[in-house]
Amino acid sequence: MKILVTGGAGFIGSHYVRTLLQDQYAGWEGAHVTVVDKLTYAGNRESLPANDPRLTFVQGDILDGDLLRQLLPGHDAVVHFAAESHVDRSLESAAEFVRTNVLGTQSLLEAVLASGVERVVHVSTDEVYGSIDEGSWTETWPLAPNSPYAASKAASDLVARSYWRTHGIDLSITRCSNNYGPYQHPEKLIPLFVTNLLAGLTVPLYGEGANVREWLHVDDHCRAIDLVLNKGQAGEVYNVGGGNERTNRAITERLLELTGRDWTSVRRVPDRKAHDLRYSLDETKIAEQLGYAPSVSFEQGLADTVDWYRKNTDWWQHSKAIAADRA
Ligand code: NAD
Ligand code: TDX
């Protein structure tokens, strides 16, 4: 078995690849993995095993159709993680988001079509639905993205859907809530706050800190992707939620406790533009149809994540330095 993973040097993609290479996904034991990753500021080769004989790492852009057509033949499936993923960066400059997330997805699917790969999972996000004050989104909710990041992901979902409908590619889409866990780039809320607090710095809380996100451990997200890959239906969308809704203030409070700091370490800064108030997914479909249930408790998962950052300063200092160099 052979699987090609785009964006496999990023946070979620690398977790998926490491877990697959540890033979933790039934049916994929012994599989060979090809990672295609451009190694933008967000990609880190050190998030993947250095010398695993079952891993082939290719530094490349998903917009490079020739490269993809060369690599894809012989693979049984593609899991597509590659994206520009940080909302704040998309507010400053959106072109790269449209390029990678929209055109990149189209380029990848064109190459999939040409090479006859049989199965694709397109990894998307809850942010495509916009913001919801009460209740939870089902998969049939209208798309109403608010940031250029979310808009580019929504567009990529529609491109993906069209390649299923038009060309019959066996493709499913996942829409997951906010992930946390090890190897997440220290630009996102939890790793930014943890690494700053561990380094004795302050942390920037946007606005009132009243915005609500639904948190899921990256391991649960990747297990859901594996389920969808194996059992998901073509042309279908699957929400993947965590059920752990927290305000940013509540997350900050817990991170202060876990790092032994207090509210004097928190800076109140102006709010993010068009800041989505609340995300909440209804995950009945994946639970009932594919048997998915998250397994990592938020309290334990968050404490373990803080421990991981405490013990892996080399990894995140490297990432912070790369981000600063290329920003
Ligand atoms: P990330 O930013 O950590 O990783 C993205 C990876 O894609 C990096 O390794 C980067 O080098 C690579 N990449 C970027 N542009 C590329 C290109 N043109 N060609 C090839 N590789 C390229 O992102 P992440 O948090 O791991 O997210 C992975 C996917 O999951 C994204 O599609 C994102 O939209 C989605 N998602 C993320 C979350 C979350 O909370 N992080 C939640 C739901 C969905
Ligand atoms: O410094 C900060 N201060 C702050 O208050 C940062 C970076 C964030 N925040 C707030 C903004 C959000 O309400 O914390 C919340 C989480 O922010 P991010 O970590 O940037 O995540 P979010 O914008 O919710 O998007 C994430 O979840 C969905 C991922 O980055 C996306 O890739 C994914 O699709």
Side-chain angles (χ1 to χ4, degrees):
M1 301 286 274
K2 262 183 113 176
I3 191 158
L4 187 139
V5 176
T6 70
F11 165 46
I12 306 172
S14 71
H15 188 93
Y16 177 79
V17 171
R18 291 192 308 274
T19 311
L20 194 135
L21 291 172
Q22 289 158 10
D23 289 336
Q24 290 185 42
Y25 297 136
W28 293 95
E29 294 91 345
H32 190 102
V33 184
T34 305
V35 166
V36 181
D37 196 296
K38 190 178 171 185
L39 292 182
T40 66
Y41 78 93
N44 188 341
R45 185 64 183 83
E46 289 173 23
S47 301
L48 290 167
N51 298 310
D52 192 311
R54 285 162 52 201
L55 173 65
T56 302
F57 182 83
V58 179
Q59 182 169 1
D61 191 327
I62 53 170
L63 273 115
D64 186 345
D66 291 343
L67 173 71
L68 293 174
R69 275 189 293 279
Q70 198 188 313
L71 289 174
L72 277 166
H75 287 86
D76 300 287
V78 170
V79 182
H80 176 35
F81 294 94
E84 286 294 330
S85 70
H86 191 36
V87 172
D88 290 328
R89 285 178 179 259
S90 81
L91 307 180
E92 287 156 21
S93 173
E96 204 57 25
F97 286 74
V98 173
R99 205 187 78 89
T100 284
N101 300 1
V102 188
L103 293 177
T105 298
Q106 185 269 331
S107 152
L108 173 69
L109 294 177
E110 201 60 42
V112 163
L113 200 56
S115 51
V117 171
E118 285 183 2
R119 180 83 181 118
V120 178
V121 175
H122 172 66
V123 179
S124 190
T125 171
D126 59 0
E127 298 198 18
V128 298
Y129 298 118
S131 182
I132 188 165
D133 290 346
E134 290 174 359
S136 302
W137 294 299
T138 59
E139 289 81 354
T140 54
W141 208 272
L143 303 186
N146 290 317
S147 70
Y149 161 69
S152 68
K153 290 297 291 188
S156 74
D157 288 15
L158 298 182
V159 168
R161 184 182 185 282
S162 79
Y163 271 74
W164 159 70
R165 186 80 176 106
T166 307
H167 299 295
I169 290 182
D170 182 350
L171 174 150
S172 306
I173 297 171
T174 58
R175 292 191 183 136
C176 190
S177 59
N178 285 57
N179 284 214
Y180 71 97
Y183 296 95
Q184 185 171 26
H185 195 281
E187 66 185 355
K188 306 282 165 60
L189 176 75
I190 290 179
L192 173 69
F193 279 26
V194 172
T195 56
N196 278 15
L197 292 169
L198 290 175
L201 303 172
T202 58
V203 296
L205 183 63
Y206 297 163
E208 298 300 310
N211 305 67
V212 174
R213 295 292 181 266
E214 181 179 358
W215 293 96
L216 182 71
H217 195 277
V218 64
D219 194 59
D220 282 327
H221 182 191
C222 289
R223 277 193 312 104
I225 290 168
D226 176 60
L227 264 182
V228 171
L229 176 65
N230 297 323
K231 299 207 277 180
Q233 298 297 302
E236 293 293 320
V237 175
Y238 298 91
N239 286 345
V240 186
N244 298 298
E245 290 186 32
R246 300 282 190 283
T247 62
N248 295 335
R249 278 189 72 82
I251 295 287
T252 304
E253 173 77 33
R254 190 69 193 115
L255 295 179
L256 291 171
E257 284 165 13
L258 288 165
T259 55
R261 306 265 158 192
D262 61 32
W263 281 90
T264 58
S265 296
V266 181
R267 264 182 297 133
R268 303 296 283 274
V269 298
D271 210 353
R272 176 185 275 178
K273 278 190 204 166
H275 195 172
D276 289 332
L277 180 62
R278 176 172 172 263
Y279 299 151
S280 180
L281 288 171
D282 181 325
E283 59 180 14
T284 309
K285 180 175 175 180
I286 192 169
E288 289 187 352
Q289 295 185 9
L290 307 188
Y292 166 76
S295 69
V296 181
S297 94
F298 185 67
E299 279 306 307
Q300 191 58 52
L302 194 61
D304 291 348
T305 300
V306 172
D307 271 351
W308 187 88
Y309 282 95
R310 196 176 268 123
K311 290 178 184 142
N312 289 276
T313 46
D314 283 356
W315 183 89
W316 56 263
Q317 276 167 358
H318 178 72
S319 284
K320 278 199 170 205
I322 288 178
D325 279 355
R326 299 197 187 177

